[in-house]
Amino acid sequence: MNIAYTRRGKGPPVLLIHGVGGDASNWDPIAARLARRFDVIAMDLRGHGSSELIRGPVDVDDFTLDALQVLGEAGVGRCHVAGFSLGGAVALALALRSPESVGRLAVIGTVCGRTPEQQARALDRIKYLEHHGTAALAESNRERWFSSAFRASHPEVVDRRVAQVSGCDAESYLRAFTVFCTAEFIDRVGEIRAPLLVIAGEHDVAATPDMARAMGGLVQNAEFHVLPGLHHSVLIEAPATIGALLDGFFARAQPV
């Protein structure tokens, strides 16, 4: 599997994993800050960016193996990991599958512990995507992704994100979105031994603050932050805040 990634900076290694419908560039402002003192590796999930397209069913373990492949190609045995949205699920899976590979772990806007009602709504989102297509789903997500203030003040940024998702390969997006809507780790989060940072937007209806608190409560000495006024797309709406939280969290580690 051809999995693309970018690399910048010097220091302890950090792996960044984006969300469904994105690519490594979604991390650019954050990666630029982290690269001042970290070796920052930002991967394109399969089916996204410059990585190989998805043709056939996938699960979160496939994405996790891709992350391990990237680390192997980069010559990195152990690193800090940050994942956003689907990337957060991949990051959790990586910490569980290969704990020796993960120093500190940060999950941002990451779904974990859906209620039965939330599970049903997620399955409805998959059906909507199957019937209406990627562009329609992206258009319907503007209010789910961004605060009203940001939509009003930065319409071009919102349009660019919608266009990014709309332009995704249809099968790849459907397969990856299905993983986003069905992957679940709440019963295993307590097994994670890496120091954990959990970040959620106050008004994120997918990866809710309650989910962030629940994950944080299952890992000893975990940190969690709820970002006031924000929805799901915190990487794009608040890169300075996310960058500062990640920078401080990773900097407190012993050398990896």
Side-chain angles (χ1 to χ4, degrees):
M1 178 65 66
N2 176 32
I3 304 298
Y5 62 93
T6 62
R7 193 170 192 175
R8 69 183 87 176
K10 292 182 179 181
V14 171
L15 177 67
L16 304 178
I17 312 173
H18 65 81
V20 63
D23 60 31
S25 69
N26 295 143
W27 290 100
D28 278 352
I30 297 164
R33 171 170 182 155
L34 294 177
R36 298 171 190 169
R37 55 176 164 179
F38 296 101
D39 173 11
V40 181
I41 301 165
M43 64 182 289
D44 287 342
L45 291 171
R46 67 169 70 186
H48 297 74
S50 298
S51 290
E52 192 170 325
L53 297 179
I54 300 172
R55 292 294 180 261
V58 294
D59 58 26
V60 72
D61 287 333
D62 294 309
F63 292 117
T64 305
L65 290 173
D66 294 343
L68 288 170
Q69 175 183 317
V70 167
L71 294 180
E73 291 177 1
V76 172
R78 183 173 171 84
C79 65
H80 305 311
V81 180
F84 166 71
S85 193
L86 171 60
V90 177
L92 290 172
L94 179 61
L96 290 165
R97 183 187 184 98
S98 184
E100 70 279 2
S101 299
V102 178
R104 289 190 155 220
L105 175 66
V107 293
I108 305 160
T110 298
V111 176
C112 193
R114 286 186 175 99
T115 66
E117 294 78 13
Q118 289 168 332
Q119 291 171 356
R121 288 198 293 271
L123 295 178
D124 285 342
R125 301 287 289 172
I126 297 174
K127 292 177 183 177
Y128 182 92
L129 174 60
E130 291 173 334
H131 286 95
H132 299 282
T134 308
L137 183 71
E139 286 290 342
S140 73
N141 275 337
R142 290 174 182 265
E143 293 183 2
R144 291 171 64 94
W145 288 343
F146 298 102
S147 68
S148 57
F150 190 82
R151 296 198 310 273
S153 61
H154 296 85
E156 74 290 349
V157 177
V158 176
D159 288 345
R160 188 159 58 244
R161 174 59 179 148
V162 170
Q164 183 184 40
V165 174
S166 298
C168 287
D169 174 75
E171 181 176 354
S172 295
Y173 187 85
L174 174 60
R175 301 289 190 183
F177 187 74
T178 299
V179 175
F180 166 70
C181 289
T182 56
E184 183 56 75
F185 292 99
I186 194 63
D187 291 337
R188 298 196 62 199
V189 168
E191 300 173 28
I192 292 173
R193 295 295 174 259
L196 178 66
L197 169 66
V198 188
I199 303 172
E202 179 186 13
H203 302 303
D204 192 335
V205 298
T208 66
D210 284 344
M211 292 179 185
R213 293 186 184 94
M215 280 190 280
L218 291 169
V219 175
Q220 188 175 9
N221 298 322
E223 301 178 27
F224 75 90
H225 295 266
V226 176
L227 306 183
L230 297 186
H231 292 231
H232 189 62
S233 287
V234 294
L235 293 190
I236 296 173
E237 186 163 347
T241 299
I242 300 298
L245 287 171
L246 292 179
D247 195 23
F249 178 66
F250 292 148
R252 290 194 294 276
Q254 298 296 318
V256 298

